[in-house]
Amino acid sequence: MSSLTQRYTTVAIVLHWVIAVLILGLLATGWYSEILPKGDARTNLVMLHKSVGLLVFGFIMIRIFWRLSHQPPALPASVPAWQQTSAGLLHFALYALMFIQPVSGYLSSLLGAKPVTFFGILIPQWLEKNDAIRPFFHDTHKVAGIVFTVLVVIHIAAAIKHQLAKDGIAQRMLLGAH
Ligand code: HEM
Ligand code: HEM
């Protein structure tokens, strides 16, 4: 029997790719802003980073809700147990980071009383500036950013490995014919 690997739902696939593109952009703009000198270019880049970060947070919340209400397709039995476990742990960590990263970024800006706009619309400052708590979220955003970058690289390497092995795993996250 030919093994037609089951795939993720269309909603899960579309959300995965929209969020993946936006997160790759956020990791790139986040790190690039670190090396840019203070000035208009940096301010504009960080403003764009914040807007896209809030936008992706909306998609992520929908995705987490979808994931909790839809079982992903089981991996074929040909995938060794240790790979099934590590894929599960890695995916869980990616979901956790998709939540921690935008929340820590927003709280760091909010508690630092740094303006946050959503594509030009100013989000009200609804909490007072707090220099005691802000560093926690600022540091979380940085450390989680490093971990996120490393895990995304591992994730992409695993996807490429499966694609090269032509074992049908990468197809699970693609639309179209098998
Ligand atoms: C999934 C969403 C996000 C990802 C993957 C992401 C990633 C990153 C990374 C890798 C950096 C560079 C490391 C650092 O300086 O911390 C960064 C910087 C930054 N991010 Fe985000 N970010 C996200 C969402 C947000 C949001 C929603 C906000 C605020 C509303 C935000 C605000 C910032 C700011 C202000 C910096 C510059 C930090 C500084 O140098 O003071 N980020 N981000
Ligand atoms: C950059 C941000 C990305 C994030 C945060 C991310 C996150 C995730 C998560 C959480 C899953 C598990 C889905 C679930 O079981 O609910 C997943 C699956 C998958 N991702 Fe990504 N991904 C990203 C980028 C990519 C890229 C660039 C590729 C391809 C090169 C890719 C290929 C895949 C594949 C093939 C699967 C399905 C794995 C399976 O069948 O078990 N992802 N991704």
Side-chain angles (χ1 to χ4, degrees), residues 26 30-31 34 42 46 49-50 53 101-102 105-106 138 141-142:
L26 286 161
W31 291 122
E34 293 281 279
R42 186 180 194 276
V46 173
H49 178 90
K50 290 180 182 179
Q101 200 62 358
Y106 176 60
H138 183 268
H141 200 65
K142 177 152 285 169

Side-chain angles (χ1 to χ4, degrees), residues 60-73:
I60 288 165
M61 292 316 286
I62 297 171
R63 182 169 180 196
I64 291 177
F65 174 76
W66 186 264
R67 177 63 165 79
L68 291 176
S69 52
H70 295 79
Q71 271 289 102

Side-chain angles (χ1 to χ4, degrees), residues 7-15 66 70-71 73 172-173 175:
R7 72 177 77 194
Y8 282 87
T9 58
T10 303
V11 173
I13 295 174
V14 171
L15 284 169
W66 186 264
H70 295 79
Q71 271 289 102
R172 291 152 53 91
M173 205 38 113
L175 295 171

Side-chain angles (χ1 to χ4, degrees), residues 60-132:
I60 288 165
M61 292 316 286
I62 297 171
R63 182 169 180 196
I64 291 177
F65 174 76
W66 186 264
R67 177 63 165 79
L68 291 176
S69 52
H70 295 79
Q71 271 289 102
L75 281 163
S78 54
V79 176
W82 73 268
Q83 278 186 25
Q84 305 228 10
T85 310
S86 36
L89 289 174
L90 179 63
H91 292 163
F92 180 81
L94 288 172
Y95 278 116
L97 288 161
M98 281 191 271
F99 183 80
I100 293 167
Q101 200 62 358
V103 169
S104 60
Y106 176 60
L107 290 177
S108 169
S109 298
L110 180 71
L111 295 169
K114 302 263 163 79
V116 177
T117 56
F118 183 68
F119 298 103
I121 306 160
L122 186 69
I123 312 270
Q125 173 76 25
W126 54 274
L127 265 185
E128 273 178 35
K129 190 174 189 299
N130 187 325
D131 288 333

Side-chain angles (χ1 to χ4, degrees), residues 3 10 14 20 30 36 38 53 67 69 79-80 87 96 113 131 140 146 153-154 168 178:
S3 59
T10 303
V14 171
L36 271 181
K38 280 198 186 342
R67 177 63 165 79
S69 52
V79 176
D131 288 333
T140 300
I146 295 169
V153 169
I154 296 173
H178 278 286

